[in-house]
Amino acid sequence: MLNRLKSVEFSKFAPLLVTLAFILILIQYSFHPLESIFFDFWEKTDFGARSFKTPIVLVSMDEESDQFLGETYPYTYASHTRLMSRLKEDHPGVINYFVSLREPDSDVEARYQTEFHENIKTYSPSNDKFKFGTEIDNLGELIPPEALRDVGYYLGQLYKDQLVFSKDEVVRRAILNISGEDSIHLWTAKRFRELNNMPVVDATAYKGAYYNSEADANFALFKYSGNPTSNRIPTIPFHRVVVGNFPKGFFKDKIVLVGPSYLSNSSDFILTPFEKENAKTPKLAVHADVIEALVSEKTIYDVDDLVTQIASVLIAILLSYIISRVQPVKGLMITILLIIGILLTSYLAFVTLGWWIKLSHLVLSIFVVYYIWVPFRAIEEYQTRYAIQEETKLLKQVDNLKQNFISLMSHDLKTPVAKIAGIADILKIKFNNTPEQMELIDNVVNSTKELNNFINSILDLTKIESQNLTLRKESKDVNKIIEGIIEKLEFEANAKAMTIESELSPLYPIQIDTVLMNRVISNLIENALKYAGREKTVWVKTWDDPEWVYIEIRDNGVGVGPDDLAHIFDKFYRVKNDSTHAIKGSGLGLYLVKYFIELHNGVITATSQLGEGTSFIIKLKNE
């Protein structure tokens, strides 16, 4: 066990340990301003929560009604009495009154207050269809005048994130009840559901409802049914209702909210996820959205922070492993896709399930992982690249030594080989040799010739690998080169009872390296003479078209099998069979042929059939 621990490279785990340390510190902090950005964006883009048919109608008290009635907020009881008379005639389902009425200051006002009270009682004899909505200020709850309190009132406070969450005073959650008493929003939702034969939902039964001990109240995040400033909810001015200027049945079975919406009074407006910079949304419209969310049970479940904290750690470990295993570019792509996947998952959970998955820890964890691991991966990549460069440099030095050695040895070998060939020629010419001696001398001459060809091939290969081979082009008729080669090889062909037949079409001179092209054609014809077999024929044919000059060298020899044919241009490759075993060669000839042709921007192809022969076709640029 101790030996195993010693063999572990703990340095490899350093980035992971640093990452986990950062993540564990990160998840101890809340990033509510960032969370609010995601939450509000989900709210604004949750098109599934949009409601195009609302059960609510707003009656707004504003500057237009002031001017028409010749009164100021909160208006006289006479106006409220006429309004209530008009409303009860149209049979609305529930009425919420968000108006801060004052105590009457005259006998006339007191009489109209009594009439207003009677109208309410006539409409809601059991106190189950009309309620006042109250607010709390620094002095306490603003309750209705004493004579109207018996009709009932509930807290109608809009809860702003002022001391919690992002502390930006945006309305995101609804007060369901406080000190055991329902808010006007919950009471209205319950009553409306009851009137429409829907099951009544208590405060604790709503999805995501939670209890706050400091406030002694139950709250729930809710979904807006749309932008409250979009005029989605039907709104009618107070004075039009007073005079009866509305269609019959306009309020029938509806939830009617009556309250102020004065452009000149900033306290009548509030911030929402749709308007966070300026308070442009009327409170009356937000009251409607809260009630509508409770009626349709569009509340939001706040996924526990512990879940996202555990997920952040797991994602950090997974992403650390992935980034450590892939290239930096792929790591970046995976990181981006992971962020997109998490955002998409959170959005879909919000839209379809009503779950709010907090994203700040998840997204920031991914950034932490990436920015910790990228430098480590960059160091590893640099070390790997440096090692490869050093290895390449060393291999290049070794290759240069090898080439220099081969080149030096080849040059040094040419001199003694030439001397041996010269001495053999002298022995052949100046002395009367017996047939046995002549055969031995011929073997020496042929062997030195083969050795010389092999040395030349090695020298060419060295030039190719060192990239020192350059073309010396000149304008030359290919046919002239072929005729000279055929003439030189006639003796060798006759010795094997073979014939070389040529069919050379007239050609224009083209730009070629005559030395290399001589090597190419000589090699191909010599190979045909070597491998075709005795009493066979070698055909050499030329022709051209506007683009290419073609040279075909064909024999009717033993041929080459398909497996060997695929490799005949490979370096040091030789066809191995019974007929070729005794024939000497370096395996470099066709490799050099192909290289020299391609150096001329030409093409060489080979076809063969066993027992029928082999054909090589060279294509050279006709220029």
Side-chain angles (χ1 to χ4, degrees):
M1 178 63 74
L2 187 61
N3 291 333
R4 287 184 180 180
L5 287 173
K6 287 181 179 179
S7 64
V8 174
E9 294 184 33
F10 288 101
S11 60
K12 291 184 178 180
F13 294 95
L16 179 60
L17 295 175
V18 172
T19 300
L20 290 177
F22 268 97
I23 299 300
L24 292 174
I25 294 171
L26 178 74
I27 60 179
Q28 303 306 312
Y29 294 90
S30 298
F31 299 91
H32 290 148
L34 180 60
E35 293 291 0
S36 69
I37 293 172
F38 288 118
F39 182 91
D40 295 342
F41 186 74
W42 293 169
E43 276 276 20
K44 289 188 284 188
T45 56
D46 185 3
F47 301 106
R50 300 294 181 262
S51 175
F52 300 100
K53 187 177 180 182
T54 177
I56 300 174
V57 176
L58 306 180
V59 178
S60 65
M61 304 166 70
D62 52 26
E63 287 85 356
E64 184 183 353
S65 294
D66 286 4
Q67 186 175 2
F68 184 89
L69 297 172
E71 301 175 6
T72 58
Y73 182 83
Y75 301 159
T76 63
Y77 278 102
S79 295
H80 288 288
T81 300
R82 290 196 294 272
L83 176 87
M84 195 63 210
S85 296
R86 298 290 187 184
L87 286 176
K88 71 178 184 179
E89 290 174 1
D90 214 37
H91 307 291
V94 182
I95 297 176
N96 290 168
Y97 230 70
F98 295 95
V99 184
S100 298
L101 294 174
R102 302 190 184 103
E103 294 288 350
D105 56 2
S106 67
D107 292 339
V108 174
E109 277 290 273
R111 189 170 64 251
Y112 277 117
Q113 184 191 56
T114 302
E115 190 176 341
F116 177 59
H117 180 267
E118 288 173 357
N119 280 338
I120 295 172
K121 282 294 187 179
T122 304
Y123 167 69
S124 176
S126 303
N127 292 337
D128 58 353
K129 296 172 72 177
F130 181 101
K131 294 295 176 191
F132 283 101
T134 63
E135 289 189 335
I136 298 174
D137 63 10
N138 295 330
L139 300 175
E141 188 175 4
L142 303 175
I143 59 178
E146 187 174 353
L148 301 174
R149 291 173 192 170
D150 64 323
V151 300
Y153 59 91
Y154 288 110
L155 182 66
Q157 189 82 16
L158 291 173
Y159 187 82
K160 298 182 286 188
D161 285 342
Q162 197 168 14
L163 302 175
V164 297
F165 195 45
S166 60
K167 301 178 182 179
D168 54 5
E169 299 191 351
V170 172
V171 177
R172 298 185 180 91
R173 61 199 80 222
I175 301 173
L176 301 178
N177 63 19
I178 185 165
S179 300
E181 186 176 87
D182 291 343
S183 66
I184 194 169
H185 308 111
L186 181 58
W187 176 85
T188 305
K190 282 182 174 181
R191 186 65 188 132
F192 185 81
R193 289 175 68 89
E194 188 178 350
L195 291 172
N196 287 273
N197 300 315
M198 299 165 66
V200 175
V201 182
D202 291 324
T204 56
Y206 278 99
K207 177 172 57 183
Y210 65 94
Y211 176 73
N212 183 285
S213 58
E214 285 187 31
D216 189 22
N218 283 293
F219 298 86
L221 292 161
F222 70 95
K223 288 187 178 183
Y224 284 81
S225 297
N227 190 338
T229 61
S230 64
N231 300 320
R232 178 183 60 85
I233 301 172
T235 304
I236 185 169
F238 186 95
H239 69 275
R240 282 185 55 189
V241 182
V242 169
V243 299
N245 185 14
F246 58 88
K248 188 177 180 180
F250 186 71
F251 298 103
K252 184 174 175 58
D253 299 327
K254 298 286 187 178
I255 299 171
V256 180
L257 307 185
V258 182
S261 294
Y262 285 88
L263 294 174
S264 57
N265 186 7
S266 61
S267 62
D268 288 343
F269 295 84
I270 203 163
L271 297 173
T272 69
F274 295 86
E275 296 287 347
K276 296 174 64 175
E277 299 300 324
N278 299 305
K280 297 180 180 178
T281 307
K283 283 184 177 180
L284 201 61
V286 179
H287 283 300
D289 264 301
V290 174
I291 293 170
E292 193 170 352
L294 297 179
V295 168
S296 55
E297 298 183 75
K298 291 188 293 188
T299 54
I300 299 166
Y301 174 69
D302 182 2
V303 176
D304 194 89
D305 288 349
L306 182 62
V307 175
T308 54
Q309 289 170 357
I310 294 172
S312 298
V313 174
L314 295 177
I315 287 172
I317 294 172
L318 176 63
L319 188 59
S320 296
Y321 176 79
I322 292 172
I323 292 177
S324 68
R325 296 289 177 177
V326 301
Q327 295 177 345
V329 175
K330 289 183 179 179
L332 177 60
M333 294 302 298
I334 291 170
T335 302
I336 293 171
L337 291 175
L338 184 59
I339 291 174
I340 293 171
I342 288 173
L343 293 176
L344 189 60
T345 301
S346 175
Y347 175 72
L348 292 175
F350 187 93
V351 170
T352 59
L353 302 175
W355 291 4
W356 175 33
I357 301 172
K358 295 185 180 70
L359 289 169
S360 60
H361 288 148
L362 297 172
V363 174
L364 292 175
S365 295
I366 292 173
F367 279 106
V368 167
V369 170
Y370 184 77
Y371 282 105
I372 287 176
W373 275 92
V374 163
F376 281 99
R377 289 291 292 128
I379 292 169
E380 287 182 5
E381 286 288 318
Y382 175 78
Q383 290 174 339
T384 303
R385 193 180 298 113
Y386 180 77
I388 292 171
Q389 288 175 346
E390 288 299 307
E391 186 177 346
T392 304
K393 190 176 178 182
L394 183 62
L395 289 174
K396 193 171 182 180
Q397 290 175 348
V398 172
D399 193 51
N400 287 336
L401 288 171
K402 180 195 75 173
Q403 290 174 5
N404 291 336
F405 174 76
I406 292 172
S407 178
L408 185 63
M409 291 300 296
S410 300
H411 279 98
D412 288 348
L413 283 172
K414 285 179 75 73
T415 302
V417 167
K419 287 182 179 179
I420 293 170
I423 292 169
D425 286 337
I426 292 170
L427 290 173
K428 193 173 182 180
I429 295 169
K430 287 191 174 183
F431 296 94
N432 295 323
N433 299 297
T434 63
E436 291 180 359
Q437 290 172 331
M438 284 297 292
E439 185 180 353
L440 290 172
I441 293 170
D442 286 338
N443 286 338
V444 171
V445 171
N446 291 332
S447 295
T448 54
K449 184 179 178 182
E450 289 175 1
L451 184 57
N452 193 55
N453 289 336
F454 179 73
I455 292 169
N456 287 333
S457 296
I458 292 294
L459 286 173
D460 288 337
L461 180 63
T462 304
K463 289 178 181 178
I464 290 170
E465 290 183 344
S466 62
Q467 298 180 343
N468 287 331
L469 188 64
T470 55
L471 289 178
R472 292 180 175 84
K473 287 186 176 182
E474 58 180 299
S475 183
K476 192 74 173 180
D477 185 351
V478 173
N479 287 339
K480 296 291 184 184
I481 296 174
I482 294 172
E483 288 170 351
I485 293 169
I486 292 174
E487 186 178 345
K488 288 180 183 178
L489 295 175
E490 281 287 351
F491 179 79
E492 187 176 338
N494 292 334
K496 295 185 177 182
M498 298 177 69
T499 56
I500 303 174
E501 297 185 4
S502 61
E503 183 183 342
L504 308 179
S505 301
L507 301 174
Y508 287 106
I510 59 174
Q511 291 291 320
I512 55 174
D513 187 316
T514 53
V515 175
L516 294 184
M517 199 51 58
N518 203 306
R519 294 277 302 279
V520 166
I521 297 169
S522 295
N523 186 282
L524 292 174
I525 297 175
E526 285 176 352
N527 277 355
L529 295 175
K530 277 185 185 179
Y531 298 106
R534 295 183 63 82
E535 300 179 354
K536 301 294 182 181
T537 304
V538 178
W539 290 274
V540 182
K541 181 181 178 182
T542 61
W543 71 97
D544 68 350
D545 61 27
E547 188 176 359
W548 300 98
V549 169
Y550 299 88
I551 305 169
E552 181 184 19
I553 297 168
R554 178 170 58 89
D555 65 63
N556 59 349
V558 295
V560 180
D563 292 339
D564 289 319
L565 189 65
H567 299 284
I568 59 172
F569 292 112
D570 292 352
K571 192 192 302 184
F572 297 114
Y573 186 83
R574 296 196 66 211
V575 176
K576 294 181 176 63
N577 54 43
D578 294 338
S579 61
T580 63
H581 181 71
I583 301 172
K584 296 178 181 179
S586 64
L588 288 172
L590 290 179
Y591 169 78
L592 294 173
V593 164
K594 186 171 187 291
Y595 184 85
F596 294 154
I597 293 297
E598 290 176 349
L599 206 60
H600 283 78
N601 295 319
V603 179
I604 182 169
T605 57
T607 56
S608 186
Q609 291 288 331
L610 285 172
E612 295 183 10
T614 303
S615 171
F616 291 90
I617 295 179
I618 298 169
K619 291 166 61 178
L620 297 171
K621 288 285 185 180
N622 194 355
E623 57 185 22

